[in-house]
C-alpha cells in the first residue's frame, strides 16, 4: 500500500511540474497585489489584466463581479500575482502564475527598474517582466475545460489604457519594424509578436549601441537617419537595415 501511495504522489508531482501556461485559458487578477497599500495602486492591476488579454488569456478580476462559472471551476483557472523584490536602488517585479492548489505553474523573468519615481519604476519593471512572457508565444492548447461564460462577463470594468504606459506593438508592419523597450542600461527591441529580437547596451552615445541578436554580437547605430545592425560572420561584415520605433 505504501508503494502504491508513493507512486501516486510521484505521478501527481510529475503532473504538476508538467503544467504550462498553454494548458489554461482563464486567469484571475487580484484588484490589489500583496505589496500594495490600495487597490490598483499605480494601475498595476489594470496593466496586468490588459497585457494578459493581449497575450490571449481571458482575464477577470477577483471582485464581486467575477463570473459564477469561474467560481465553480476554480481548477480550470490560473491565479496571477505580481511579486515585488529589490532594494532602495532597484524595483524588481515578477509575475507568478499559480494553479488552484497554489502550485507555481510559471514565473516571468524579473523586470527591473532603477527609476526613482514609483509610478515610472513599477510600470517599467512590469513591462519588462511581461516582455519575457510575450516571448513564450502563449496559445491555449485545450488541456483544461473551456467554460461557458456569457460574452458580457468578459469585461469587468471599462478601462482606458494609455498606450505609452504598456507594451505596445509597433505601428509599422514591415518585417524589420521593431519597438524599443527601455531597460536599465539600454533597450530591448521587440517585433510585432512581442518577441525580444535585440538586446541593446548603451554606450553613452544616443545613436550607437552594443547589440546582441541570438548568437550574433555586433553594433546598432544610426547613419543618415537610418538604423543598421552590423556584425561579423565568417570574416565578413554583415549589415542589416532596421526600422526602430523609440
Amino acid at each position: 500500500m505504501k508503494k502504491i501511495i508513493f507512486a501516486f504522489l510521484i505521478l501527481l508531482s510529475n503532473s504538476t511540474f508538467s503544467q504550462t501556461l498553454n494548458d489554461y485559458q482563464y486567469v484571475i487578477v487580484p484588484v490589489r497585489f500583496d505589496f500594495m497599500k490600495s487597490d490598483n495602486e499605480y494601475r498595476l492591476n489594470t496593466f496586468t489584466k490588459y497585457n494578459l488579454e493581449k497575450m490571449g488569456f481571458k482575464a477577470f478580476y477577483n471582485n464581486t463581479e467575477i463570473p459564477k462559472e469561474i467560481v465553480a471551476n476554480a481548477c480550470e483557472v490560473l491565479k496571477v500575482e505580481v511579486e515585488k523584490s529589490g532594494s532602495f536602488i532597484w524595483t524588481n517585479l515578477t509575475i507568478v502564475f499559480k494553479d488552484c492548489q497554489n502550485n507555481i505553474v510559471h514565473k516571468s523573468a524579473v523586470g527591473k527598474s532603477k527609476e526613482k519615481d514609483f509610478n515610472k519604476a513599477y510600470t517599467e519593471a512590469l513591462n519588462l517582466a511581461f516582455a519575457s512572457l510575450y516571448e513564450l508565444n502563449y496559445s491555449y492548447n485545450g488541456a483544461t475545460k473551456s467554460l461557458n461564460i456569457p460574452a458580457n462577463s468578459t469585461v469587468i470594468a471599462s478601462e482606458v489604457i494609455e498606450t505609452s504606459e504598456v507594451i505596445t506593438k509597433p505601428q509599422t508592419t514591415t518585417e524589420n519594424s521593431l519597438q524599443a523597450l527601455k531597460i536599465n542600461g539600454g533597450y530591448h527591441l521587440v517585433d510585432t509578436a512581442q518577441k525580444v529580437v535585440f538586446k541593446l547596451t548603451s554606450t553613452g552615445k544616443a545613436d550607437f549601441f552594443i547589440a546582441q541578436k541570438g548568437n550574433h554580437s555586433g553594433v546598432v547605430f544610426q547613419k543618415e537617419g537610418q538604423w543598421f545592425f552590423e556584425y561579423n560572420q565568417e570574416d565578413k561584415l554583415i549589415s542589416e537595415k532596421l526600422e526602430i520605433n523609440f
Side-chain angles (χ1 to χ4, degrees):
M1 176 62 76
K2 289 183 178 180
K3 290 182 178 180
I4 294 175
I5 294 174
F6 180 74
F8 174 76
L9 291 175
I10 291 295
L11 180 62
L12 179 62
S13 175
N14 289 338
S15 174
T16 297
F17 286 124
S18 66
Q19 293 181 100
T20 70
L21 294 184
N22 293 336
D23 294 342
Y24 293 87
Q25 186 177 16
Y26 307 97
V27 292
I28 297 296
V29 180
V31 294
R32 182 189 301 191
F33 298 124
D34 288 344
F35 62 89
M36 290 180 169
K37 297 179 181 179
S38 59
D39 291 352
N40 201 21
E41 191 174 17
Y42 305 111
R43 301 185 72 197
L44 288 188
N45 307 75
T46 294
F47 298 151
T48 298
K49 182 173 180 288
Y50 173 86
N51 277 295
L52 289 169
E53 290 172 344
K54 291 283 284 185
M55 287 177 63
F57 284 105
K58 295 181 179 178
F60 303 89
Y61 290 126
N62 67 338
N63 59 12
T64 56
E65 298 182 49
I66 188 171
K68 61 183 180 180
E69 293 83 0
I70 293 290
V71 176
N73 296 274
C75 287
E76 311 299 324
V77 182
L78 284 176
K79 296 176 291 183
V80 178
E81 277 290 341
V82 173
E83 297 180 351
K84 177 187 174 184
S85 60
S87 62
F88 290 108
I89 299 176
W90 292 95
T91 296
N92 299 340
L93 296 180
T94 305
I95 303 160
V96 181
F97 296 82
K98 295 182 180 180
D99 64 15
C100 62
Q101 298 179 350
N102 281 326
N103 297 308
I104 295 176
V105 175
H106 188 80
K107 275 189 174 185
S108 74
V110 179
K112 298 183 177 183
S113 176
K114 210 173 182 180
E115 290 282 351
K116 294 181 180 180
D117 179 85
F118 283 141
N119 191 36
K120 292 180 180 179
Y122 283 124
T123 301
E124 180 181 37
L126 188 69
N127 279 348
L128 293 177
F130 262 108
S132 71
L133 296 179
Y134 278 109
E135 290 182 9
L136 299 176
N137 295 318
Y138 161 80
S139 179
Y140 173 57
N141 61 20
T144 53
K145 183 168 60 176
S146 185
L147 306 179
N148 185 25
I149 298 175
N152 61 359
S153 295
T154 57
V155 179
I156 299 299
S158 177
E159 298 169 330
V160 177
I161 306 293
E162 296 292 336
T163 56
S164 62
E165 296 178 290
V166 295
I167 297 176
T168 57
K169 295 182 179 181
Q171 295 180 354
T172 53
T173 57
T174 59
E175 182 180 356
N176 284 333
S177 184
L178 301 168
Q179 178 73 35
L181 282 177
K182 186 74 173 69
I183 61 172
N184 184 63
Y187 293 87
H188 280 169
L189 301 184
V190 299
D191 61 17
T192 55
Q194 298 296 328
K195 179 181 179 181
V196 177
V197 181
F198 288 86
K199 296 180 180 179
L200 305 185
T201 302
S202 297
T203 63
K205 295 183 179 180
D207 58 356
F208 190 90
F209 300 90
I210 305 299
Q212 186 73 37
K213 179 187 180 185
N215 295 324
H216 298 305
S217 298
V219 294
V220 166
F221 62 94
Q222 191 177 45
K223 181 180 180 181
E224 298 178 353
Q226 299 292 329
W227 288 97
F228 295 89
F229 171 53
E230 291 190 351
Y231 62 97
N232 289 314
Q233 181 174 312
E234 297 179 354
D235 295 327
K236 292 182 179 180
L237 179 64
I238 308 297
S239 182
E240 297 179 8
K241 186 178 178 180
L242 304 176
E243 295 178 18
I244 305 175
N245 298 319
F246 280 96

